[in-house]
Amino acid sequence: MSNNTFYISTPIYYVNGSPHIGTAYTTIAADVASRYKRMMGYDVHFLTGLDEHGQKVASTAAEHNMSAIEWCDSQVQNFVELWDKLNISNDDFIRTTQDRHIKGVQQLMQKIYDNGYLYKDTYEGYYCTPCETYFAQDELIDGKCPDCGRDVEFIKEENWFFKLSEFATPLLEYYESNPDFICPKSRYNEVLSFVKGGMHDLSASRSTFDWGVPLPFDESHVAYVWVDALINYITALGYGSDDESALENYWPADYHLVGKDIIRFHCVIWPAMLLAAGLPLPKHVSAHGFLMAADGSKMSKSKGNALYPNELIDIYGVDGYRYYFMSDVVFGNDANIGLERMTQVYNSDLANTYGNLFSRVSNMTVSYFDGFVPDLSKCDSAIIQNLDCPMKSIADGIFEKYTKALDVLDFCGASTAVMELLHEANLYIENSAPWNLAKDESKKDELAYVIYNGLETCRIAATYFYPFMPDTSVELLSRLSIGIDFENLESGQLKDLTTWGGLKAGLEVTKGAALFDRIKNK
């Protein structure tokens, strides 16, 4: 294995809400990136988890006549089961109620305190409990939370404050020397504008309730929930424990994937905290857009326009679900999600193009070659040399396009490069008409050439599509009698595995059931 490491994280998701298509989207994106990096020979660490502290969690638990930890424990399985169902390959799942996290938070807060970046004062202002966020009066919209539109509470309490204002210049210098730290570019400009506009010190603790991590230097205060939550990215690697080998191996993170609504926490507050503690900053924070209803409005249960992961999986299957969000939703942009478009993409790309190609060529392999990959070395070379295969030149160019795209989380670009090959192969099969060649014994070699090229296209596509649709790739390759340990490839092996002509003659081919059943519009 390569010594190269790759550390990627999702946000830790709020335990009070069930996983939705937005949380699933971020998690699938991190999974695709992780599987791709493993295919490239990297030592990958993929982290996700849950944010379980804060006033809202404590209040919700009380409403259910449960202790806060009982409430959190009751919600965890909702996430674990969905990530398992979606074939998420995370290496770790952290909960902010775990001892390893609490110890790490206390160590980091102690370090920031010792370095002189925390002071005690009284906070007076507005607080949105559902968002767990402080707002100045001029930030409110019609007196309500600018993020969720709900009522805010005026609070006055003793807090420890983090000297965020002292980090404007160091942050701006870091952004300038690392212009791809914040992506996409539109988010970079937003964060830059925010920091240049002047930053206030941040309330870093709460003292009116106790559901959180007690500060080691003042146990009457618990860490403000966002401060607590952000530290998970290093506590999961052993920060604050007796064994920090994982931290030394994987930190700084290569990518924090976040929704655009929490980019300031990750691009301003988190790096400032790390600077205050003398720790390296993450290499990239990549923010995706919002997933909206088909008409562009916000999804909500009350409007009846919300879509839920389990319901969509029932319609499109796990790999169909994963493929749609990674091929039709540009990471970084807002997107309108509707069943009509999802069905169109599924039928066009997966049922009609990918699945249909394999169905046709595997069926013809069974019918014309007794279910074995044709051996072109036994064909008349003069005939073969005069035949054209347009897929070969396309296949030769995919690796560069595919890797270049996925290295910057351009999932759509990578999937499009593979689909181009499949579209060309379907056209090739139509133009070559192997069913007609099979009727003429003198065309046997040409038939073998056409079928081999169709099978080879499927092999290469399945290999590239593994990060997107792992189960389908394994299934298709198994029908070609090929087994690949995708999670443990060595550096350079993917390029070798996707080189045209790698399909060995004589392998047994099984046609099996349709990879993707066509969905009828309802």
Side-chain angles (χ1 to χ4, degrees), residues 473-506:
S473 289
V474 170
E475 174 62 23
L476 188 155
L477 291 169
S478 72
R479 295 189 195 180
L480 295 178
S481 300
I482 297 171
I484 299 175
D485 184 3
F486 284 104
E487 299 296 302
N488 292 291
L489 296 184
E490 295 181 1
S491 179
Q493 203 171 347
L494 180 62
K495 189 168 187 178
D496 293 338
L497 286 171
T498 52
T499 298
W500 187 268
L503 180 63
K504 295 178 181 177

Side-chain angles (χ1 to χ4, degrees), residues 123-176:
Y123 175 81
E124 289 188 44
Y126 298 91
Y127 192 74
C128 175
T129 299
C131 294
E132 299 278 14
T133 306
Y134 296 98
F135 295 103
Q137 186 168 12
D138 59 4
E139 292 179 296
L140 303 178
I141 298 178
D142 296 328
K144 297 184 182 294
C145 173
D147 290 340
C148 71
R150 285 174 279 200
D151 290 333
V152 293
E153 177 187 5
F154 183 82
I155 63 173
K156 180 179 180 180
E157 66 175 320
E158 183 183 72
N159 287 173
W160 282 92
F161 282 79
F162 172 53
K163 296 180 181 179
L164 182 64
S165 58
E166 293 192 14
F167 291 92
T169 298
L171 286 174
L172 291 172
E173 289 173 352
Y174 186 75
Y175 302 155
E176 186 176 348

